[in-house]
Structures are given as C-alpha cells and as structure tokens.
Amino acid sequence: MKDDMHEQKHFVKYLLTFVFIFIIMIAAVFSIHYSGILGFDTIGATTTDSIDTLPSDTTSSESISQTSSQTQTTETTESLTDTEDRTQTESTERSTKYPPATLPIIPTQTTSSKTTATTEKTTVTTVTTTQTTTSETTTTETTTTEITTTETTTTKPITPEELHKITAEDITDEKMAELITKKYLTVHSKSRPGYKLWSVKNIVVHYVANPGTSALQNWKYFENKNNVSAHFIIDIDGSIIQCMPTNEVAWAVGTKNGNYTSISIECCHPDSTGEFTEETYISLLKLVSWLCAEYDLDRDDVIRHYDYGIQKSWGVYHKACPLYYANDKEPASHERWEKFREEIYIK
Ligand SMILES: [Zn+2]
C-alpha cells in the first residue's frame, strides 16, 4: 500500500507540474500575442490601431472642419454664387471624410477659393461701375447730342428775322469799333469840307449804284474829289469804312438842309438790282441801331436818300436810292424798306 500511495503521489506531482508548465506556456503565448512580437494579424492590428487613434485625429479634424465651416459660413455670406458655396461645402465634406493628413491643405484651398471669390466680386463690382459710368457717359453724350441738335436747329434754319435781330450787346462801342475802320478822307471842299453839322436829325441810307465795287474803291472815288461823299461805306462783306467824323458835313443828299442835319451811309451791292448782301444788311442794321442810340434817334429818323424830295420845275423828284429799297417802279421795294426799319434796334 505504501508503494501505491507513493506512486499515486508521484503521479499527482507530475500532473501538477505538467499543468503548471502548460499554464505558463499558455500565459507566455498570450503575453507574446498581446505584445505583438509574433506578428499575429499585423495588418488588421494596424487598421485597428489607426481606427483607435482616429477619434483623437477626428477630433482635431473636426475642430479644423469646424473652423473651416465657420470660415465658410462667413464666406457663404460674402460669397457671390451658389456654385462657390457648393464647392466650399464639398471641401468641408471632403475634410471630414478623408484622413487628417489631407486636412491642413483644405483651409489653404478654402483660402484660395475665398480669394478667388473676392477677386470675382471686385471684378463684378468694377464691371458694374464701368457699366454705370458708360451709361452715364452715354446719357451725357446723348444730352450733348441733343444740345447740339437743338443748337443746330436754332442755327440751321436761321430765319432772316432771327439773323437780323440786333441786341444791345451787338452794338456796344467795343463791338462797333471792331466792325468799323476809320479811314478819314482828306479835308477839301469837294468831298470832305470839314464843316460841322448843325445837328443830327436823320440817318440816311444810300446805295453806291456801282455793282460789285468795294467799300475801299468807293472811298477812293470820294477821295478823288468827285463832289460826293458819305460818313460811312459798308462793303459787300459787311466791313465798314468811316470816311469822316460823324459831326462833319458830307455831300450826300443833294440839299443843304439835308447835308447839314444828317449822317449818310453808302452801301455796296453785288449787282444792278441794288440788293444788299446779308453781311451788308446786318452791318447796316447794327450801324443804324448804334447811331440811333448815340444820337437818341427813333426808327422814323432813319430815312433813305429817296425821302429827300428835290424840288424840280416839273415837281418833286425822289432819287431811287437805295434802289432795291426805294424804287417807285417796284412797290415791293418800299415794303423792304419798311421791313428794314422795323428791324432796327431801338433802346
Ligand atoms: Zn444816295
């Protein structure tokens, strides 16, 4: 029995030793497994590790995303188009989905897209401004054109009435001095006796009766002692020569009384009708208006050479001077004269 007992104890001892060793081995295997030295399931372990580490990364990525989305919210407010918003939203989604490693780039992209948006906005604003400016310019141009048109309208159809409308500004001493050239005749009995006028009662209009001659040619005629003269000669081009001071006597109207109480104006004319050119006509209007103002005369004091009746043996003779405005054979000539007198500017 003692041997059996001894063998039995021996067996238990071995069994326990074996179990102990087995447990130790198992423990060793587990410890090795968990320390990863043996490399069991390496790839899966790494994936698991990255997944395990993700939360911290995700948190950081989320914080970036949140920053981005905050920026984007601001940008959305600032941004101009939905497309840009969508692009930004997509980049946000991408930043959330994709690994953290790509995240730092996203804000840079967002920034660049923001810059682009700002640039586009500026461009759009500039375009709008340009358009506004252009439209303003166009409006201004249109206005200018309208003004031009209006001016053209007033200038183009110039009616004789408008053209002949003399104002006080047209007959200032300065303006008349520009219009009149003083070229006094030599004092001698034939044309410029140098006698003083008794008074100035009338302004007398004549025509030179020599078609196509100039004021200067007629001045020379006077200067050559031809027993005729006048105070003024108006050229076909409207220029005026003054032959003597307005307080002197000119041999112009054929009567002593007339010559000593009037200022005479000779007018050149291009043809035998005796019609004045527009230039001559307007200069005559100005000169007559100015003299009326100077001598306090009325339009009725402006007369034609015709109006001095010269007593002849057979009756009173009226010289047809100025012919186009004082011709008894053409009644319309007297109407022309009356029209001229109406156009004289009287203060
Ligand atoms: Zn005359």
Side-chain angles (χ1 to χ4, degrees):
M1 279 298 285
K2 260 190 177 174
D3 285 346
D4 289 344
M5 284 286 283
H6 185 74
E7 280 178 7
Q8 221 172 351
K9 280 179 182 175
H10 232 63
F11 176 73
V12 170
K13 202 176 176 180
Y14 278 122
L15 186 69
L16 285 171
T17 306
F18 177 78
V19 167
F20 179 72
I21 288 166
F22 182 77
I23 287 166
I24 286 186
M25 281 178 72
I26 293 294
V29 165
F30 267 91
S31 68
I32 287 164
H33 168 71
Y34 281 106
S35 67
I37 291 168
L38 291 178
F40 291 140
D41 201 8
T42 311
I43 298 164
T46 312
T47 313
T48 316
D49 283 350
S50 68
I51 290 165
D52 290 343
T53 54
L54 258 175
S56 60
D57 289 340
T58 311
T59 311
S60 66
S61 77
E62 276 172 4
S63 65
I64 294 166
S65 310
Q66 280 169 3
T67 315
S68 304
S69 61
Q70 281 169 5
T71 314
Q72 282 147 13
T73 312
T74 320
E75 285 167 5
T76 311
T77 320
E78 290 175 4
S79 62
L80 292 166
T81 59
D82 293 335
T83 318
E84 284 161 14
D85 290 346
R86 256 179 259 123
T87 315
Q88 284 155 7
T89 314
E90 278 168 16
S91 66
T92 315
E93 285 169 5
R94 225 185 299 133
S95 68
T96 321
K97 283 175 186 172
Y98 291 139
T102 57
L103 277 173
I105 304 165
I106 292 164
T108 318
Q109 287 174 342
T110 313
T111 311
S112 68
S113 70
K114 186 185 175 182
T115 312
T116 314
T118 314
T119 313
E120 283 172 4
K121 191 180 181 179
T122 313
T123 312
V124 170
T125 313
T126 312
V127 168
T128 314
T129 313
T130 314
Q131 283 173 344
T132 313
T133 314
T134 314
S135 63
E136 281 174 3
T137 313
T138 314
T139 314
T140 315
E141 282 176 350
T142 313
T143 315
T144 314
T145 316
E146 284 173 357
I147 290 165
T148 314
T149 315
T150 315
E151 284 175 348
T152 314
T153 314
T154 43
T155 325
K156 254 189 172 178
I158 313 171
T159 60
E161 287 75 18
E162 286 172 333
L163 198 65
H164 301 164
K165 195 172 185 180
I166 307 299
T167 64
E169 288 178 9
D170 295 322
I171 55 167
T172 59
D173 290 345
E174 293 74 21
K175 290 267 179 73
M176 295 311 292
E178 287 173 18
L179 188 61
I180 298 167
T181 305
K182 286 180 181 176
K183 190 177 173 64
Y184 292 167
L185 300 165
T186 307
V187 179
H188 59 79
S189 60
K190 297 289 183 181
S191 57
R192 186 190 166 191
Y195 306 149
K196 298 298 174 190
L197 290 175
W198 298 335
S199 63
V200 179
K201 291 183 180 175
N202 298 106
I203 308 297
V204 187
V205 177
H206 306 257
Y207 84 128
V208 295
N210 198 349
T213 53
S214 68
L216 185 60
Q217 285 173 319
N218 284 278
W219 180 90
K220 284 174 181 171
Y221 184 77
F222 294 163
E223 181 67 4
N224 289 333
K225 306 170 185 176
N226 284 301
N227 284 321
V228 63
S229 60
H231 296 83
F232 298 93
I233 309 167
I234 304 179
D235 198 277
I236 288 168
D237 67 8
S239 60
I240 301 171
I241 293 176
Q242 185 174 351
C243 303
M244 66 186 77
T246 51
N247 64 346
E248 288 187 19
V249 171
W251 303 134
V253 300
T255 67
K256 186 176 181 182
N257 191 56
N259 283 333
Y260 275 79
T261 56
S262 63
I263 293 172
S264 280
I265 303 166
E266 288 280 356
C267 296
C268 297
H269 47 96
D271 56 50
S272 60
T273 64
E275 183 179 7
F276 304 155
T277 61
E278 272 297 289
E279 290 83 357
T280 303
Y281 192 97
I282 291 165
S283 288
L284 177 64
L285 268 179
K286 287 179 182 174
L287 182 56
V288 163
S289 301
W290 178 63
L291 290 170
C292 282
E294 287 287 302
Y295 292 95
D296 195 26
L297 300 174
D298 197 5
R299 66 186 76 251
D300 292 336
D301 300 320
V302 180
I303 59 172
R304 304 163 287 184
H305 186 181
Y306 170 93
D307 296 309
Y308 282 108
I310 300 168
Q311 190 63 51
K312 299 284 185 183
S313 56
W314 44 266
V316 179
Y317 166 69
H318 293 277
K319 191 178 180 182
C321 174
L323 181 65
Y324 194 71
Y325 309 88
N327 186 0
D328 286 336
K329 294 173 184 172
E330 189 189 6
S333 64
H334 297 294
E335 292 169 20
R336 293 181 196 122
W337 174 250
E338 290 309 320
K339 189 171 178 287
F340 170 81
R341 281 220 286 206
E342 286 167 15
E343 291 176 325
I344 297 167
Y345 169 79
I346 304 292
K347 273 185 193 174

